[in-house]
């Protein structure tokens, strides 16, 4: 199983903690140490599972808006996007549990025209105000269909580290990685009002594969 580059520090710490606790449990509990070691092994394995990088065949897209993350669609609504679009847009929000793949992918192809990091709170990721009050990043891409698409990584109550690798002027390719969020969170995508939405609330998405909307050519 291939592991994400963001896993290094976490796995080193988890390995040290596991080794120390396993040693102490064997030393003090003797034959009862398995009661501690087995749950520790499960948690240790989940750390590796969280940072997995699945092999996915990413296609080329122009009008299609691709799911940026693995997760569950929790919101589709018309909103005011005040940071970049400064007007009405359709917001699609996808919530990621700690068991989902947490690679963040471009939802559309085009050119990165804006990026910004915002410090903030750590409300639960499905809270509606987390989109504007939590720690987050905002990226805007001018798509191949000449639309401005905004998407936002949002930290949650558990997620306390967001990374994004893109810079203004970069080429964006739908389905390809631009960042990562550790341990559960949310991504919002803001689309033009005339976009055809092809997903619905409750849908489970596979990042880089599933089409969640189609923009006018």
């Amino acid at each position: 199983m291939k592991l994400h580059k963001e896993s290094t520090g976490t796995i080193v710490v988890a390995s040290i903690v596991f080794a120390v606790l396993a040693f102490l449990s064997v030393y003090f509990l003797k034959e009862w140490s398995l009661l501690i070691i087995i749950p520790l092994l499960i948690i240790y394995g989940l750390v590796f599972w969280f940072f997995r990088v699945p092999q996915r065949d990413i296609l080329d897209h122009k009008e299609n808006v691709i799911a940026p993350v693995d997760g569950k669609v929790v919101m589709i609504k018309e909103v005011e996007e005040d940071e970049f679009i400064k007007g009405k847009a359709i917001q699609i929000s996808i919530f990621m549990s700690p068991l989902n793949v947490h690679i963040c992918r471009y939802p559309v192809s085009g050119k990165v025209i804006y990026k910004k990091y915002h410090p903030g709170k750590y409300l639960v990721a499905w809270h509606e105000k987390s989109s504007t009050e939590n720690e987050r990043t905002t990226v805007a891409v001018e798509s191949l269909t000449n639309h401005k698409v905004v998407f936002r990584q949002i930290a949650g109550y558990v997620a306390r580290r967001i990374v994004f690798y893109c810079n203004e002027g970069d080429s964006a390719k739908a389905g390809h990685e631009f960042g990562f969020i550790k341990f559960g969170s949310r991504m919002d995508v803001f689309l033009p009002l005339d976009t055809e939405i092809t997903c619905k609330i409750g849908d489970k998405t596979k990042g880089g594969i599933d089409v969640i909307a189609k923009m006018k050519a």
Side-chain angles (χ1 to χ4, degrees), residues 4 52-54 68-70 96 101-105 177 179-180:
H4 196 274
R52 68 196 184 278
V53 179
V69 290
D70 290 27
M96 296 168 278
V101 175
H102 275 62
I103 295 169
C104 300
R105 306 170 187 273
E177 181 180 357
F180 194 90

Side-chain angles (χ1 to χ4, degrees), residues 64-68 73 92 94 107 189 191 196-200 205 210-214:
N64 289 339
V65 181
I66 304 302
V73 178
I92 300 177
I94 301 174
V189 182
L191 301 166
E196 177 189 352
I197 306 301
T198 58
C199 64
K200 62 183 183 299
T205 60
D210 292 339
V211 178
I212 60 173
K214 292 185 179 181

